[in-house]
């Protein structure tokens, strides 16, 4: 059994018309099935509106399927009793660094998740310190969140996810609003976490980021357009150089 | 039409704990019809510089001359300055506020005193330049549009003021690749069809290489380097010491040069690189 | 300017004041405010000022940092002082057309000015020395007896946490929107009061939309981090009363008595 199993997933958004009636809206995800293995690094790419962010929100039950099923470690996201268990195993980091930090002080924000899980205070302290050290923000733990750069805020958000000790983290365009330095720091973090065995799902429209995964899923109009190893989807610079050398030598 | 910036100096929070010298003796000139790319890592003073060019910030010392008028002079009328120099901020779609696209675009021209009967013509022209269909979306709410469309509506709102200089702060930030390309093409159109000076800030070196006639490199509030994209990007080591890169196509060309001795290319854009490769390897 | 506002900001430290239980500091601040209104002469302010100075010294928060908060509300203070200066009838010292300054006016303006400055510095001492989370935890605990009559103390405390967190964000956002509209030729400085109010629409609408977007995204992020109300939630730093809080309580009672006594000092050098 795969860690995350997606079967015939369809998500439709209904719109409320001005007279208050429900209008069937767009189909954001159109019948996709996928298995994501424990410990793998999968990137999902596609244009805006391809359904990639909708897919991300289905993985921890933030959105529920219109039809089909998503299960995490055998638990169906439709099962209300399992929802908090699923969310504690599948952490999530969002695009906007500002709008996912709840508390003014860095360490208090990182503690937010574990506090919701009802973990004892001393254990929370330990987890928060470890998480902040891991993302290199420990020395900033007492700073106000609004004093940090975008890249630093995003690392605090990652620490907030790690402190819940998840098995999997879904990154929903985590670098889209960062400058190149912030982007690099966040990508480095993501690779390190995956190397430690955390199942990693990265939603991105930067191809150089997508190419660092073990597997790339390309989405278009709610469907899977391509799914394979980076070498099957892209040609690397090395491949291209080798290919051209072959042409030259011919 | 030209811009002359002379010895600009500006300090944030003077006398406070957070005191920083944001601009340190910055001077440069921009000539008629040029497109200037400004690069520099976060905090190098780029955004502060842009805000000096249309009078949103007044320098501690130094002057900015636009079209023979000194806009840093106390007697300069700011409405005139802002009509002359259009500034598009980062994520400009966050400033949209009107019920319809047409009304939002008309906000700028209305503030500068354009007559009501001229307005539709203005708005139509601005929308066509940024590649939006007037008949299709002029009456829609700007909040129902896609991200790329919103961005273009916001840019049209500044273009409609018919400035002689258009300044854009990271015009492609946060857009997906398709919308990104559309915005780049739009900037080229604006520069070519209206003969506007375009000054833009970007972290994307491929964009800078594609659009700019000249590149200014900012570092710690100073202009560290300036020249054509080819000149600037040939200083790869210096740029990297400032935390800046070169267009990614350079990396691919480097790998090819290593694999195939004899192949030469100093292309900066993918189109140029493809052309060089085709020629050298005799491909179609 | 916007970054100068210290209201709601925290100054990290480990002084005796920092270590006091948030509930002690909230009650002390409330008492202090009430006492400022009990005071009826400058002797009382002298005592309040001395107490405040002692607290500032103990907290080790640099005075520069505290006074920076005052510059941000300078306008409000100036407005109060000027209003009192010209509006009080009495022995006229200076007159020009309908404007007049009276002996009583000067006294009153100085009195109100001092009261306001002491009020602002005093309350900012609470936020400067208490982490926002401790402050809201303290409020939640103080309000928890009210749960029985249906007051949602956890939700109110969480709302305050989020408000404190997003004040700086929204201020920056406002600054950006104002500049963006100015770049489109908007003029916020001329016109009468009504015209000026109408001109705020291009700022207020984008600001509302931003706030809604923040709220929506934040709600998702909180859900993703397993937020499901106050039930079963634990705290990283549980707040507890210590010996320091008992000492603080005794000092507060003494201070209250002194302030009340100060009302009866009749010697007035002014």
């Amino acid at each position: 059994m795969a860690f995350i199993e997606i079967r015939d997933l369809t998500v439709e958004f209904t719109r409320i018309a001005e007279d208050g009636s429900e209008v069937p809206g767009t189909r954001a995800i159109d019948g996709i099935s996928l298995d994501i293995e424990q410990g793998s690094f999968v990137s999902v790419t596609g244009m805006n509106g391809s359904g990639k962010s909708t897919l991300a929100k289905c993985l921890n039950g933030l959105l529920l399927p219109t039809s089909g099923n998503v299960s995490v470690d055998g638990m169906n996201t439709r099962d209300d009793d399992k929802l908090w268990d699923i969310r504690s195993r599948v952490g999530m980091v969002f695009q906007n660094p500002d709008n996912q930090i709840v508390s003014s002080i860095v360490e208090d924000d990182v503690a937010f998740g574990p506090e919701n899980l009802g973990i004892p205070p001393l254990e929370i302290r330990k987890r928060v310190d470890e998480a902040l050290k891991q993302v290199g923000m420990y020395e900033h733990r007492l700073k106000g969140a609004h004093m940090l750069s975008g890249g630093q805020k995003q690392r605090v958000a990652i620490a907030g996810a790690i402190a819940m000790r998840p098995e999997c983290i879904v990154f929903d365009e985590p670098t889209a609003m960062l400058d190149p330095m912030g982007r690099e720091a966040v990508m480095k973090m993501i690779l390190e976490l995956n190397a430690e065995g955390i199942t990693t799902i990265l939603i991105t429209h930067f191809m150089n980021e997508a190419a660092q995964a073990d597997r790339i899923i390309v989405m278009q109009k709610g469907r899977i357009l391509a799914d394979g190893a980076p070498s099957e989807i892209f040609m690397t610079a090395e491949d291209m150089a080798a290919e051209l050398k072959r042409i030259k030598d011919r | 039409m030209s811009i002359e910036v002379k010895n600009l100096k500006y300090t944030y929070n003077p006398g406070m704990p957070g005191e920083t010298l944001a601009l340190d003796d910055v001077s440069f000139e921009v000539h008629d019809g040029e497109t200037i790319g400004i690069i520099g890592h976060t905090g190098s003073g780029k955004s502060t510089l842009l805000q000096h060019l249309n009078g949103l910030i007044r320098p501690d010392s130094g002057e900015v001359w636009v079209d023979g008028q000194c806009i840093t002079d106390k007697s300069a009328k700011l409405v005139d300055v802002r009509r002359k120099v259009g500034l598009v901020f980062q994520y400009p779609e966050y400033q949209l506020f009107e019920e319809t696209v047409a009304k939002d675009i008309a906000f700028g021209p209305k503030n500068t005193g354009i007559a009501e009967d001229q307005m539709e013509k203005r708005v139509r022209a601005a929308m066509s330049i940024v590649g939006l269909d007037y008949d299709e979306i002029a009456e829609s709410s700007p909040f129902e549009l896609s991200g790329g469309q919103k961005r273009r509506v916001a840019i049209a709102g500044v273009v409609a003021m018919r400035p002689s200089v258009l300044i854009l702060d990271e015009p492609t930030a946060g857009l997906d690749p398709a919308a990104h390309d559309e915005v780049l093409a739009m900037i080229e159109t604006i520069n070519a069809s209206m003969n506007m000076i375009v000054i833009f800030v970007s972290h994307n070196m491929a964009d800078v290489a594609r659009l700019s006639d000249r590149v200014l490199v900012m570092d710690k509030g100073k202009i560290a380097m300036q020249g054509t994209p080819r000149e600037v990007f040939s200083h790869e080591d210096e740029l990297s010491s400032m935390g800046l890169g070169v267009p990614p196509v350079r990396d691919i060309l480097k790998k090819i040069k290593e694999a195939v001795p004899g192949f030469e290319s100093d292309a900066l854009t993918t189109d140029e690189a493809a052309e060089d490769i085709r020629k050298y390897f005799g491909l179609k | 300017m916007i970054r100068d506002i210290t209201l709601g900001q925290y100054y990290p430290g480990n002084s005796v004041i920092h270590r006091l239980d948030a509930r002690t500091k909230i009650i002390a601040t409330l008492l202090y405010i009430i006492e400022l209104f009990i005071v009826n002469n400058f002797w009382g302010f002298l005592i309040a000022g001395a107490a405040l100075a002692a607290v500032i010294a103990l907290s080790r928060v640099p005075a520069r940092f505290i006074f920076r908060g005052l510059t941000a509300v300078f306008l409000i203070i100036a407005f109060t002082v000027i209003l009192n200066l010209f509006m009080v009838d009495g022995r006229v010292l200076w007159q020009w057309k309908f404007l007049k300054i009276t002996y009583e006016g000067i006294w009153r303006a100085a009195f109100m000015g001092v009261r306001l400055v002491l009020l602002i510095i005093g309350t900012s001492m609470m936020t400067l020395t208490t982490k926002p989370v401790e402050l809201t935890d303290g409020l939640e605990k103080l309000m928890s007896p009210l749960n029985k009559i249906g007051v949602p103390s956890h939700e109110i405390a969480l709302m305050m946490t989020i408000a404190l967190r997003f004040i700086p964000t929204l201020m920056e956002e406002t600054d950006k929107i104002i500049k963006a509209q100015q770049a489109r030729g908007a003029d916020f400085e001329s016109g009468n009061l009504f015209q000026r109010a109408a001109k705020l629409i291009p700022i207020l609408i984008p600001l509302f939309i931003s706030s809604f977007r923040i709220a929506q995204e934040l709600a998702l992020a909180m859900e993703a981090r397993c937020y499901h109300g106050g039930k079963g939630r634990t705290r990283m730093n549980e707040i507890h009363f210590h010996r320091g809080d008992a000492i603080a309580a005794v000092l507060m009672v003494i201070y209250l008595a002194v302030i009340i006594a100060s009302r009866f000092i009749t010697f007035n050098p002014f």
Side-chain angles (χ1 to χ4, degrees), chain A residues 48 179-180 205 238 244-245, chain B residues 42 175-176 178 203 255-256 259:
Chain A
N48 283 352
D179 66 9
H205 59 235
E238 282 83 0
L244 286 170
K245 187 169 167 22
Chain B
T42 309
L175 295 178
D176 75 4
H203 285 303
K255 296 255 160 64
I256 299 174

Side-chain angles (χ1 to χ4, degrees), chain A residues 98 107 109 115-116 119, chain C residues 131 165 225 233-234 236:
Chain A
D98 256 312
E107 64 170 21
D109 183 72
E115 287 177 341
N116 289 330
I119 289 163
Chain C
K131 287 207 294 181
R165 157 72 187 89
R225 290 164 77 183
R233 237 176 97 79
T234 48
M236 176 164 72

